Amino acid sequence: MTTPSIPRPEHRRHVKAADADPRARGIARGEQLRDGIPAALDAYDRLFALGSVSPAQVREDAERTLDVIGRFRPGAGAEIEGIAHGSGIEPWRIGVLNARTEILARSATVPPGECTTIVRHVNGSGGSATRTFGVQTWDWHIELSALWHTLEVRGGRHDFVGITEDGILGKIGVNSAGLALHFNILGHVRDGIGGVPVHVLAAIVLEEAGSVAEAVEIVRAAPLASSGSFALFDETDAVLLDLSPVGVFPMRPEHGTLVRTNHFLTPTPAADEKTWLYQPDSGERYDFVRARLARAEPPATLDELAGHLVTGDGEPPVTCLPDLDKPLGQRWASLATVALDPATRTARVLDGTPADIGSRDWRVLTAG
């Protein structure tokens, strides 16, 4: 497969923040991202404008969101304020980045990107231990390809590692307790502002949850006004959550496997899904991956699992390649491929598409 040119930095930034004080962690993150955050804001400002979301509306949404975060988890609010201080950016502008999914939900002309996730839960037998492991693509606008980084956060209840975008608290990762989180975006007609942003909630879960059960409890307690999916798994357990303004709905592995693209898999939120955002693409990718897994021997390693995300011409775009002839807002690419292993507390990050496996090196991060 010939991959269209995806601009990538020669050296992907790795951000470290280690302090028991959330604000101090935020300051450390902001100082390391002083050049990236303004560029990320510029990219999102252009996407908001393309979606006819006014600057005044963006600021109102961000300030309202910061109020919700501060009430739900003051520590997360303090960390965002620290990022603002460290980067020299106004706090509401950092709020914009953390609420970018929710603000973009107002747009009818800028559809979200697409991601594909597979998690394997293998029951132990013959003396072998139960194992869980997962892999996903992170597919997003090519304009953001240089504005994400790998992350190492220490000092909270649990340390965690993974990836996120410049200025955003969290996204995909694994923590020192062995709790892993994969992240996909979904769309519901009631999505909007007024809840904890899904990216902030992901960071909270990784910092606080020591197990799948604890993670689900945190998610259920959060005020949600937008949609997403968390694939949560630890060394012995795995669950897939449909997150939506109408509730949180779990799914357990089918034949030891969880597959997620970008549509709801449970009936209640699916009844009011924004099907025009993702279909038929999401369903085609979902069916393709499930059929591929059914034909093959069950993947026993992360490398085998990651191979199921490689697609080519004539196949649904699990490996997402950009159409560079399309305009802003329509050029998506697999910006990263991420594999998580709770048993070893490691996140393996490939700065490339699944098709780049073998030709580019994984960056291996260990939470503890």
Side-chain angles (χ1 to χ4, degrees):
M1 177 187 299
T2 300
T3 303
S5 177
I6 299 175
R8 302 183 188 277
E10 184 176 353
H11 300 289
R12 178 68 59 183
R13 192 192 314 268
H14 180 64
V15 171
K16 296 182 180 181
D19 201 292
D21 175 30
R23 187 175 186 276
R25 289 199 303 270
I27 291 172
R29 292 172 71 162
E31 288 174 345
Q32 295 170 76
L33 295 167
R34 289 184 71 92
D35 58 341
I37 288 175
L41 282 165
D42 177 70
Y44 280 113
D45 284 344
R46 287 184 286 132
L47 290 170
F48 298 147
L50 186 65
S52 299
V53 186
S54 71
Q57 185 67 71
V58 168
R59 179 164 188 166
E60 179 182 329
D61 287 349
E63 291 178 339
R64 183 179 175 191
T65 297
L66 290 176
D67 287 342
V68 175
I69 296 169
R71 290 194 300 271
F72 181 65
R73 285 295 191 278
E79 191 161 357
I80 289 172
E81 199 282 328
I83 292 173
H85 181 84
S87 62
I89 303 291
E90 292 182 84
W92 75 268
R93 294 290 277 160
I94 306 302
V96 167
L97 294 174
N98 282 275
R100 58 85 157 161
T101 298
E102 289 71 22
I103 297 171
L104 283 172
R106 294 186 180 277
S107 170
T109 57
V110 183
E114 54 190 36
C115 305
T116 305
T117 297
I118 314 173
V119 174
R120 283 283 294 155
H121 175 76
V122 183
N123 288 320
S125 61
S128 63
T130 297
R131 299 178 56 232
T132 60
F133 47 94
V135 64
Q136 79 164 97
T137 59
W138 174 48
D139 305 340
W140 196 229
H141 300 282
I142 196 171
E143 289 79 11
L144 277 297
S145 62
L147 300 173
W148 64 271
H149 57 274
T150 58
L151 181 66
E152 180 180 334
V153 179
R154 304 187 185 278
R157 182 187 179 199
H158 302 296
D159 302 335
F160 67 92
V161 296
I163 71 167
T164 192
E165 296 174 63
D166 293 359
I168 297 180
L169 285 191
K171 187 186 295 289
I172 302 159
V174 63
N175 71 18
S176 54
L179 186 279
L181 186 155
H182 283 298
F183 184 107
N184 292 57
I185 199 65
L186 307 175
H188 191 276
V189 296
R190 290 176 55 181
D191 285 344
I193 298 296
V196 175
V198 285
H199 284 86
V200 174
L201 184 57
I204 290 168
V205 167
L206 286 170
E207 181 178 341
E208 296 184 6
S211 65
V212 167
E214 288 184 8
V216 172
E217 185 177 347
I218 292 168
V219 172
R220 289 194 181 279
L224 286 173
S226 58
S227 301
S229 168
F230 291 172
L232 299 164
F233 50 109
D234 55 32
E235 291 185 65
T236 60
D237 196 8
V239 67
L240 193 63
L241 298 182
D242 276 352
L243 313 180
S244 77
V246 296
V248 176
F249 303 90
M251 285 188 60
R252 290 290 174 178
E254 180 181 335
H255 306 299
T257 304
L258 294 169
V259 176
R260 165 68 79 188
T261 51
N262 298 102
H263 60 279
F264 290 106
L265 298 175
T266 56
T268 299
D272 289 307
E273 184 168 35
K274 292 181 178 179
T275 54
W276 60 90
L277 286 181
Y278 302 108
Q279 299 293 15
D281 173 80
S282 181
E284 291 171 351
R285 284 182 287 121
Y286 181 78
D287 292 342
F288 177 85
V289 170
R290 282 167 52 90
R292 175 181 270 182
L293 287 164
R295 290 193 304 268
E297 288 294 319
T301 68
L302 269 172
D303 287 335
E304 291 177 8
L305 195 64
H308 287 277
L309 297 178
V310 180
T311 54
D313 293 341
E315 295 176 325
V318 176
T319 296
C320 183
L321 304 177
D323 184 343
L324 299 179
D325 292 329
K326 289 189 174 181
L328 172 71
Q330 298 181 36
R331 297 187 294 179
W332 302 296
S334 293
L335 301 186
T337 307
V338 185
L340 303 177
D341 186 347
T344 58
R345 278 63 169 165
T346 57
R348 292 167 54 194
V349 179
L350 187 74
D351 193 350
T353 76
D356 294 322
I357 294 171
S359 63
R360 301 178 69 91
D361 293 332
W362 293 93
R363 178 177 289 182
V364 181
L365 311 171
T366 303

